Amino acid sequence: MKKILQKAISLVLGVTMALGLATSAGAAFEDFKDVKGHWAESTLRQAYADGILKGYDAATMAPNNSVTTAEAVTVLCRVLHVTGQGDTSAFEIPAGAWYKDEAAKAVYAGLLDESYGTSLNQPISRGDAFRLFGRAFQVTTADPDLSVLNQFADAAYLTGETQRAAASLIEAGVVNGSEGRLQADRSLTRAEFASILYRLAGVYTTADGYQDNRNTGTVISGDADLSGRTAGDLWFDDSSSVISLTDVSASRVAIRSDRLNSLSIQGTGAIDQLVLAARTGDVTLNLPKTYTVGTLTVGDGAGSVTCSGAIDRVEVTGSGRTVAINSSVDTLVISGSGNTVSLKSGCTVGEIIIRGTGNALKLDGRADTLLLAGRDNTVSGSGRVADVTLNTKYYKLNVSKGSVTNWTGYDLSGVEVSLSAPHTLAAGKVLKATANLTVPEEHVGKLCTASWYLNGQLMEQKTVLLGKDTPVSSITPNYTHDMEENGVVEFVLSYKDSDGDEYTEKASADVKLENFADLGLADTVVTLSVPETLAAGETLKATATVDSPEVGKVCRGVWYVDGKDVSSGKVTLGKSSPYLSFNYDYYYGMPETSTVELVLYYTTQDGRQQEVRGKAQLKVKNFPDNGIARASASLSAPATLEAGATLEVTANLKYPEAGKTCTGTWYVDGKKVSTQTIVLGKDTPKLSHKYTYTENMKLTSEIKFVLSYTTEDGRAQQISAAKTIKLKNYGYLYYHNMTEADVLNKVTSTYAGNYTLSWALNHDYDPELKTAWVNLKGYSSQTKYLVWVNLTYQRVNIFEGSQGNWKLIRECLCGSGKPSTPTIKGVFTTSYKQSSWNYGSYYCGPIVRFYGSSGYAFHSRLEYWPMNSDRYYDARIGFPISHGCLRMYNDDIWFMYNNIPNGTTVVVH
């Protein structure tokens, strides 16, 4: 049944999260080089097997790459089977964006709101992901144990929903940190997303296919009638509308139905937490005496909830809910807002905590304690509260009560602030001022905002923990022509209590600010003038007005159209009037609005980089017929063409609009060979071509396809694609009408000359014959080189390649052993190299031996010392002259010495 999970998710994570670069079907998890030893290796392996994650390429899975908000909500909406769509007008979603519908589903399901920002296609932070998972699976509790966050040094800066979601997920064992930090601001990775998802729910199935899964969460799709089950966590998704549980025990049961028509809990059982978070549908929960619920959570959604029975704790985490409690409970916690909750007369509750805002509690029963920690809540009724604690200044308490403890310590009273700042700040230096805080014990740990101002202008802002952080500024002044040299740096400490009221403490100090001699573009303003609307095909004429206190400074001006650099040049302040003439590239679906920008760049005498921008927008009308604009082509052709084979090529076209009649032209090596009429969406351009073969023909060929079209308004358009292929030629035998036997018989191993150099220089086998011979003989080598010493014509022939594919790369004249001391014949390997052999007044070298430790070797002619003096004791070469070795010219023997490795095959024939 986990196949359903694959179908629901794999499309999203495989296409969007892997950016379309999915591995081939046959790729194995072990092929990914970046997952071995990864902290989430086992989860990544399971996610890959289930089709949830795919690779970026054949070698990497990129588990540490970021996940975007759009990708995250898409997966969660599909997991929860969300089908409805909400209003996405608050988000900036481009036309045609792949996630448009999924974002609307996420809004409908209550996963997305404006707190996630307007751009959904950016990496989601871990903190925002905590909130997202908390909402999707309704695991954020009303009053989590925040002390679990103390183990993370950076968790003290979390607030609100992010704080509660993080604590809830940590309590549930779903989320952890790294190196003592929770890293809520860091982007969530693919591995982390998959890990959280699997820790919450590793199985997705229907009720009929459900098997008792005690160690993993299960998402159940559709109506369900479960009986006699013991489960871990169960989530009923949006498609579940009729749910019946008989004799079922579970750690958690969460109802996420789009419309809940019926919920029945019967028999004997125990549910640690029951979450009612259906989008619509009233619920009346009358538990039988044989059934217990640890915590009843009324979460997101709508519809009234009426409950009675053995329930220990009631939490209202949703907003706008109506909840009637008709039995005694130990604890009632309301963290949502705008809820209406009632406790029936005769019922008791040990503890009531209200942290949300604007809630109304009708208390007709009795309560031991009441904590009001959110503003604008109302508690009324005929009941009584023994002890009331107020952590708010705004409330209505119209109920009988005993003791009342008022809220103290909600402001910054007693906090003292003083500043330490330099008396003078040199131009270009960073202003480091320290706020010295005296913090009474009751204020230690409060999260405040530290704001730094310079001459009344806000320069920087950050959060601080009172009693733990020491605020230090890092201010770079704005250097202007009228900068106030007698500056004032001010520090403002702000604290906002849970009621939303803000309290501040301030301190300031004087600082003398030194200015730069060259202020460059400071105070410069660029204003652009562009037409309001540009007709299709009309040239854009844009002008810029540059207002600057400076005259004569030379800047670099760059014009950008829709973010693309289109023109640049020098701009002299006070003299130049920058001007742009630009022609748009028209295509189907081009934006109606275009942004034009001029950026001035300047480097001051002291090396500071400056830039000033001017921007304007205009409407650009499009052509009705844009033909093949933004179309593309690629060629499918063989990488290598066998000799004599017909070349078959296909042009693969991608185009915005079918039905256009175009002209397709094929070129082979620059020569037009075919012209075709192509109707887009109907015809596939193809080429069949026969080459003319010659012995020395070029062995690469460029194929080019050009698609041409003329629009209705007469614009000529072209796109093209090219590909270079390799050509295999017929061999030496073909062109010389020879057989293999002819080649083998033609090559001999007996010297054929007259013992003169001139004869050797004028006699040798053709290079093609040499290549054919060594390949026909089937010689192999342990290296990529092979050496053939041809005694007949006194040549050392050096080949590169492999058995059957040797290519001749160098031909060297040599002098072999004379008849009385002939060079040994056979197949050997190079074995040893040394710089020289010393014969007293002369030497030969370098040396490349080829017959073990014997004296047979390649070396230079006999030369007087010092080495490379070009004075020869015996310079003869080109005929048998040596004692058995092979004499070579210096350039040739040095090539062998430097390039031919030991172990290279040497054929002496």
Side-chain angles (χ1 to χ4, degrees), residues 736-751:
H736 292 269
N737 197 26
M738 296 177 67
T739 66
E740 293 182 3
D742 292 336
V743 173
L744 296 175
N745 292 332
K746 190 167 185 178
V747 174
T748 64
S749 61
T750 303
Y751 177 62

Side-chain angles (χ1 to χ4, degrees), residues 220-423:
I220 296 179
S221 180
D223 294 345
D225 185 357
L226 299 181
S227 178
R229 302 286 188 154
T230 300
D233 292 343
L234 298 178
W235 283 275
F236 293 90
D237 71 14
D238 272 35
S239 64
S240 303
S241 60
V242 177
I243 301 171
S244 176
L245 305 177
T246 304
D247 299 328
V248 172
S249 293
S251 300
R252 177 188 285 116
V253 174
I255 313 296
R256 294 290 278 123
S257 309
D258 182 42
R259 180 170 184 80
L260 181 61
N261 292 326
S262 173
L263 172 62
S264 172
I265 299 179
Q266 299 296 326
T268 301
I271 299 174
D272 293 342
Q273 183 184 20
L274 173 62
V275 182
L276 302 179
R279 194 170 188 275
T280 59
D282 297 337
V283 175
T284 299
L285 185 66
N286 296 317
L287 292 176
K289 295 181 179 179
T290 52
Y291 230 110
T292 61
V293 170
T295 298
L296 172 63
T297 300
V298 182
D300 293 342
S304 64
V305 175
T306 301
C307 63
S308 65
I311 302 171
D312 295 335
R313 180 185 180 97
V314 175
E315 294 188 353
V316 184
T317 60
S319 296
R321 305 303 301 267
T322 300
V323 182
I325 305 172
N326 294 334
S327 59
S328 296
V329 297
D330 293 336
T331 306
L332 168 63
V333 184
I334 305 173
S335 62
S337 299
N339 297 288
T340 300
V341 182
S342 63
L343 181 68
K344 186 178 179 181
S345 175
C347 298
T348 62
V349 57
E351 178 184 33
I352 301 175
I353 302 172
I354 304 180
R355 296 195 180 278
T357 61
N359 297 286
L361 171 62
K362 189 171 187 295
L363 182 64
D364 291 330
R366 300 179 64 85
D368 292 336
T369 64
L370 168 65
L371 169 63
L372 284 176
R375 67 176 293 162
D376 299 328
N377 292 295
T378 299
V379 180
S380 62
S382 60
R384 177 177 174 80
V385 180
D387 297 307
V388 177
T389 300
L390 298 175
N391 279 0
T392 178
K393 303 181 293 295
Y394 309 100
Y395 61 90
K396 291 181 180 180
L397 190 58
N398 301 319
V399 68
S400 175
K401 53 189 177 294
S403 65
V404 176
T405 303
N406 290 309
W407 192 18
T408 59
Y410 50 81
D411 56 11
L412 292 179
S413 59
V415 175
E416 297 179 358
V417 182
S418 64
L419 284 192
S420 298
H423 296 294

